[in-house]
């Protein structure tokens, strides 16, 4: 996942409204215990999942609609960085079914 930085001055009011709406919808992709706030990385992963879900050309958009995450963390391994995403058990069957395609889509983001 590449960090994206949006300048508030470069966006029109409609674009800012759409970006805020997308962020609210992306927050629905994160399941945390009550009172626990999602990290920036978890929000970024949730936004990437939401982007895959709303992309018209995505072949896994129907399956991604049911997926949510419980946590995400960045791990350093052999001078490389990897993101480990934890899914709730109830969605694991769907994740396992689309695992390869989901990884390819997330790597694009």
């Amino acid at each position: 996942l590449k960090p994206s930085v949006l300048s508030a001055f470069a966006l029109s009011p409609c674009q800012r409204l759409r970006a805020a709406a997308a962020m609210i919808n992306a927050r629905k992709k994160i399941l945390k215990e009550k009172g626990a706030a999602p990290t920036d990385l978890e929000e970024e992963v949730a936004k990437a999942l939401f982007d895959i879900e709303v992309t018209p050309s995505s072949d896994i958009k129907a399956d991604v609609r049911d997926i949510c995450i419980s946590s995400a963390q960045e791990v350093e391994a052999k001078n490389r960085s990897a993101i480990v995403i934890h899914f709730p058990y109830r969605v694991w069957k769907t994740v396992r079914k689309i695992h390869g395609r989901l990884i390819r889509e997330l790597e694009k983001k």
Side-chain angles (χ1 to χ4, degrees), residues 30 32 37-47 69-72:
I30 305 172
K32 300 288 274 183
T39 64
D40 290 338
L41 180 63
E42 290 168 347
E43 288 181 358
E44 192 174 334
V45 170
K47 185 170 182 340
I69 65 169
S70 55
S71 67

Side-chain angles (χ1 to χ4, degrees), residues 20 33-34 50 73:
E33 293 182 18
K34 291 185 178 180
F50 181 72
Q73 52 187 281

Side-chain angles (χ1 to χ4, degrees), residues 11-24:
L11 298 177
S12 71
C14 290
Q15 289 172 325
R16 276 188 255 145
L17 185 61
R18 275 191 223 117
M23 198 62 202
I24 291 170

Side-chain angles (χ1 to χ4, degrees), residues 48-69:
L49 286 173
F50 181 72
D51 289 343
I52 293 169
E53 182 181 327
V54 297
T55 303
S57 62
S58 177
D59 59 336
I60 59 173
K61 70 186 266 181
D63 292 323
V64 173
R65 187 169 292 129
D66 301 331
I67 293 176
C68 56
I69 65 169

Side-chain angles (χ1 to χ4, degrees), residues 74-83 107:
E74 196 163 355
V75 178
E76 193 74 29
K78 294 186 180 181
N79 301 327
R80 296 183 74 186
S81 182
I83 297 176
E107 285 176 343

